Amino acid sequence: MKSTPEHAAIGLRADQIDTPAAVIDLDAMERNIQRMAAFARRHRVRWRPHAKMHKSAAIALLLEQAGACGHCVQKTSEAEALAAGGVRDLFISNEVIAPAKLLRVARLAARLAADGGRLAIAVDSPEGIARLAEAMDAAGSSTGIDVFVEIDVGQGRCGVPPGPEAAALARAVAARPRLRFAGLHAYQGGAQHLRAAAERRAAIAHAVHAAAGTRALIEAAGLPVPLVTGAGTGTLVHEATSGVYGELQAGSFLFMDADYAANEPDAAQPAFEHALFIKTQVISTHPAHAVCDAGHKSHAIDSGLPLVHGLAPAHALRYANGGDEHGILHAAGPQARLPALGQALWLVPGHCDPTVNLHDRLLGVRGGLEHGVVERVIEVDARGALT
């Protein structure tokens, strides 16, 4: 059975929400949006949030109303889902190689262009460029597609090494009639959760140097580099002030998970708040522990277990893994008491992106978690969009 349908959920008090449920504190989320928009304006950079985090067309449009220039996605099916929901400017910040997927990419690019929109994609190989060009030809597209060359600036995942190899790919893109070289995709994902602020700063300094050098090499050959795009929530202040990056891809700032909360704050970065929670209820009590109904089918644990929200350190509870459907709660503070049978608790997920992907919809509460009311139900349009 799917979670509470929209007509039944709107108007519920927060204490009436059935458990487990994914809940957005709308006030906190909107404050995060305002801080991000102000930060981007102050530093005169574009921001293109990563929609793989929220997977929702409604949230994407809300961010664009606040000033976002468009959205990143990681999968072709995510792009299709958001486009179906009215999002018109999308960047698949990932490599697509399968011919069948590339044909979908080409057709989506044509549909978006016909509606006044735009689709971009990343490449990191000559074969990827050739296959993309073939798909654009096969689709009969006359509008073309924007293409970013991805460089590996320290992530150790996709991307070619900065320098001559990247410059050669940029020239290869520009040589294809239906492909438009749009710039460099230079995301340092490995730096986002380096705990020390100085470590994150050093990692992005390396990325900036690599991106700047590659851009200079391409421009020296007479090919303009319109944009360098990248950055995440953990490092965005460094890309924004680099003078090299013109666009920020941070997405997790919107909800802020427990893993990001573990980072040492950087004084120059906006202070984002937790806005995504899993509401859970205690279903069993014992002398040394209590059990709640939110196991790892309701929240992702790849980046660690959730935090129990809203308790002072002296009264803190520790969440331990109880399996698919259960969480084990232990007293962690010197004055902590185990919760009572039936008591509701709010968990901050360890990793917001895959947590959202576990839910059909998100309940948006206005007025706080204690006394708020469900104001809207947000569909997770791209849930399970993995292709």
Side-chain angles (χ1 to χ4, degrees):
M1 180 181 294
K2 293 184 181 294
S3 53
T4 309
E6 181 171 357
H7 69 272
I10 290 178
L12 284 179
R13 299 192 314 268
D15 63 359
Q16 295 175 312
I17 295 172
D18 199 6
T19 60
V23 177
I24 298 174
D25 181 333
L26 293 174
D27 301 300
M29 182 183 77
E30 289 169 7
R31 287 190 293 269
N32 288 342
I33 294 172
Q34 291 163 6
R35 288 165 186 157
M36 184 65 195
F39 177 86
R41 286 194 304 269
R42 185 164 64 252
H43 293 285
R44 299 182 180 180
V45 291
R46 294 154 42 117
W47 54 297
R48 179 180 293 276
H50 219 307
K52 73 180 180 66
M53 194 278 294
H54 55 74
K55 288 179 168 277
S56 163
I59 291 178
L61 294 173
L62 184 67
L63 287 160
E64 291 183 8
Q65 290 169 11
C69 65
H71 275 75
C72 293
V73 294
Q74 207 72 339
K75 297 298 180 96
T76 304
S77 52
E78 284 181 339
E80 292 167 334
L82 291 190
V87 183
R88 292 291 171 261
D89 194 326
L90 292 162
F91 170 34
I92 303 173
S93 54
N94 198 6
E95 281 64 37
V96 178
I97 289 297
K101 285 194 186 75
L102 285 168
L103 191 57
R104 287 161 54 194
V105 168
R107 289 170 176 165
L108 180 59
R111 291 199 300 272
L112 286 173
D115 201 25
R118 167 184 177 265
L119 183 67
I121 193 168
V123 298
D124 73 350
S125 69
E127 181 69 15
I129 294 169
R131 291 187 181 194
L132 176 61
E134 289 167 6
M136 297 297 291
D137 289 341
S141 174
S142 59
T143 56
I145 188 170
D146 287 351
V147 180
F148 288 86
V149 170
E150 181 169 5
I151 58 174
D152 182 1
V153 292
Q155 170 82 0
R157 193 168 60 187
C158 294
V160 293
E165 191 173 346
L169 288 185
R171 292 192 297 271
V173 169
R176 298 281 185 165
R178 289 186 170 89
L179 309 187
R180 296 184 294 269
F181 175 61
L184 297 174
H185 173 44
Y187 173 62
Q188 219 302 23
Q192 302 311 309
H193 297 284
L194 294 173
R195 295 307 181 208
E199 287 184 287
R200 299 195 299 275
R201 189 179 311 116
I204 300 306
H206 170 80
V208 168
H209 178 76
T214 303
R215 181 179 67 180
L217 193 63
I218 296 170
E219 291 178 339
L223 182 60
V225 180
L227 183 67
V228 176
T229 180
T233 295
T235 66
L236 60 89
V237 66
H238 306 302
E239 285 93 346
T241 57
S242 68
V244 173
Y245 285 76
E247 183 177 86
L248 309 178
Q249 298 177 4
S252 294
F253 76 90
L254 187 69
F255 290 161
M256 290 302 288
D257 51 37
D259 197 23
Y260 269 115
N263 281 358
E264 177 192 359
D266 189 309
Q269 190 143 321
F272 299 116
E273 306 172 46
H274 294 306
L276 174 68
F277 302 89
I278 301 299
K279 185 186 178 187
T280 186
Q281 183 182 47
V282 175
I283 59 173
S284 181
T285 58
H286 304 271
H289 70 276
V291 182
C292 67
D293 62 357
H296 60 245
K297 281 186 178 177
S298 62
H299 55 84
I301 62 173
D302 60 299
S303 294
L305 297 172
L307 303 176
V308 181
H309 179 70
L311 301 176
H315 300 279
L317 296 173
R318 177 175 60 85
Y319 181 101
N321 191 350
D324 289 1
E325 311 294 355
H326 303 88
I328 311 298
L329 301 166
H330 298 282
Q335 301 173 34
R337 293 185 178 181
L338 291 173
L341 192 68
Q343 183 174 337
L345 297 168
W346 299 91
L347 306 178
V348 179
H351 190 180
C352 49
D353 305 36
T355 294
V356 169
N357 194 51
L358 294 170
H359 295 267
D360 293 313
R361 52 186 63 90
L362 311 172
L363 303 184
V365 167
R366 177 77 66 191
L369 301 179
E370 187 175 354
H371 302 294
V373 173
V374 177
E375 180 178 277
R376 64 185 302 185
V377 176
I378 300 169
E379 297 296 325
V380 183
D381 305 287
R383 181 187 180 187
L386 305 177
T387 64

